[in-house]
Amino acid sequence: MSKETTSLLKEQTKPVIVDLVKDPLNRTILVEIGNAISPLQVRAIKDLANCTKEYFHGTHFEHRNFDENDGGNDCTFLNIVLQIFLPDIAWNVQRIAEMAYEMAGWGTRLNLRPPGRCGLRTSEYLDYKNFKSLGTHLDAESIFTVLFALSDSKSYRGGEYYIRPRHQSNLYYFKPRQYSAIVFLSETNHGVTDIESGVREMFTNEFWKFDDPPWHMSTRPELEEMELFTKNYEELELDTQNLEGHEDDEKSQDLEESGEHEHSGDKDDV
């Protein structure tokens, strides 16, 4: 990637709030943001997805088939590689999440932690060439989901995103405009209607209460996996601190004994 391209990736778009969806209690569950990502950033994400799929196909690509008749998607996991190779885009994902967080009042109304204090659980390039829909589901155990539209909405028929607020039967439909983002509360039922023709490509990111997962878990780790990893890490860190403290105590004792010997030698000289 040339220096010119790298500098262009750093250019910030000027995102604007397009729409909000609220539940029966008048709480915002979704924020639609226009001009959330640039065309060059979209191209960079696709290139990174192609490289990741080629070199890490066995670990970071999944032909993700949901339950029977619920469709699915082809998923290339980009977490970690996104932060390494496209840090400005990773930063932009957080920026868009924070913009929605402030607009929705998720901190004051729902007491949710801000995106800057969350980890990026997963970052995924999705395409639906081999699938025609995505059944109703929720992104369990995540807090916020940030979904960027990479495709021109006119390039495919059908494929509308929908969301259903809790305690409500009505569905709200969106056909995200290219370069826009939808930010929503992850544990809200949502899905994609039948794709009649064309190619639908999306870039989705989920924030959760843990830190970013390590490389060996950088697909979409389960809550139990991360809890175990965090517990083991904290125990290892505590053992290291105890070992360092023991070594410091031994050094202090050696110094004290050395000082006593020197003091005793001074008396003998006298």
Side-chain angles (χ1 to χ4, degrees):
M1 190 176 291
S2 67
K3 290 183 178 179
E4 181 182 0
T5 302
T6 303
S7 64
L8 286 172
L9 284 174
K10 292 181 180 179
E11 289 185 358
Q12 297 182 22
T13 57
K14 295 182 180 179
V16 293
I17 303 296
V18 175
D19 203 355
L20 303 173
V21 173
K22 297 189 176 185
D23 67 9
L25 299 178
N26 202 35
R27 298 175 301 191
T28 300
I29 62 167
L30 178 149
V31 180
E32 183 181 7
I33 300 175
N35 198 31
I37 193 169
S38 74
L40 187 60
Q41 289 174 332
V42 168
R43 194 177 78 191
I45 290 167
K46 290 183 180 182
D47 288 344
L48 182 63
N50 288 334
C51 286
T52 302
K53 183 179 177 181
E54 180 178 356
Y55 291 101
F56 302 104
H57 188 277
T59 58
H60 281 67
F61 174 79
E62 183 179 353
H63 184 70
R64 193 159 55 184
N65 198 357
F66 284 59
D67 294 335
E68 187 178 357
N69 299 323
D70 277 343
N73 48 48
D74 283 333
C75 174
T76 305
F77 297 99
L78 300 180
N79 208 359
I80 307 298
V81 291
L82 182 77
Q83 290 94 323
I84 293 173
F85 295 106
L86 299 175
D88 295 297
I89 295 179
W91 173 85
N92 186 57
V93 171
Q94 182 175 313
R95 176 178 72 130
I96 294 300
E98 288 175 344
M99 183 176 179
Y101 178 87
E102 294 298 330
M103 174 57 62
W106 285 329
T108 54
R109 294 212 61 185
L110 302 182
N111 198 31
L112 297 176
R113 66 176 65 189
R117 291 179 51 209
C118 297
L120 187 60
R121 179 187 191 179
T122 188
S123 184
E124 305 169 0
Y125 165 77
L126 307 175
D127 77 60
Y128 294 80
K129 295 174 187 175
N130 298 306
F131 295 91
K132 294 303 178 185
S133 66
L134 182 61
T136 302
H137 66 287
L138 46 81
D139 300 334
E141 298 164 349
S142 293
I143 302 174
F144 313 108
T145 299
V146 185
L147 179 67
F148 293 87
L150 307 186
S151 300
D152 184 346
S153 58
K154 296 178 182 178
S155 67
Y156 59 93
R157 293 182 59 189
E160 290 182 296
Y161 168 92
Y162 64 83
I163 191 168
R164 185 179 67 224
R166 290 183 183 181
H167 313 301
Q168 190 170 337
S169 58
N170 292 341
L171 296 176
Y172 294 86
Y173 292 88
F174 295 85
K175 194 164 187 184
R177 283 161 282 202
Q178 190 175 29
Y179 312 130
S180 68
I182 290 175
V183 187
F184 59 94
L185 298 179
S186 301
E187 294 195 320
T188 309
N189 284 309
H190 60 281
V192 178
T193 62
D194 289 351
I195 302 167
E196 299 171 20
S197 63
V199 178
R200 185 182 191 271
E201 297 172 292
M202 296 286 162
F203 173 51
T204 189
N205 304 265
E206 295 177 28
F207 291 87
W208 67 345
K209 66 179 182 179
F210 294 105
D211 288 333
D212 297 353
W215 171 253
H216 70 281
M217 293 167 56
S218 59
T219 50
R220 188 181 184 276
E222 297 298 328
L223 186 70
E224 294 78 10
E225 292 179 276
M226 199 64 185
E227 284 179 337
L228 179 61
F229 173 81
T230 302
K231 179 183 177 183
N232 291 340
Y233 177 82
E234 288 173 349
E235 288 177 353
L236 178 62
E237 191 175 49
L238 183 60
D239 289 342
T240 302
Q241 291 173 354
N242 290 337
L243 179 61
E244 290 174 348
H246 180 66
E247 290 175 348
D248 289 341
D249 289 342
E250 287 183 342
K251 288 179 182 178
S252 298
Q253 186 175 354
D254 290 342
L255 288 172
E256 288 176 3
E257 291 176 355
S258 175
E260 288 175 1
H261 287 314
E262 290 178 2
H263 188 63
S264 174
D266 291 342
K267 286 185 177 181
D268 292 340
D269 292 342
V270 173

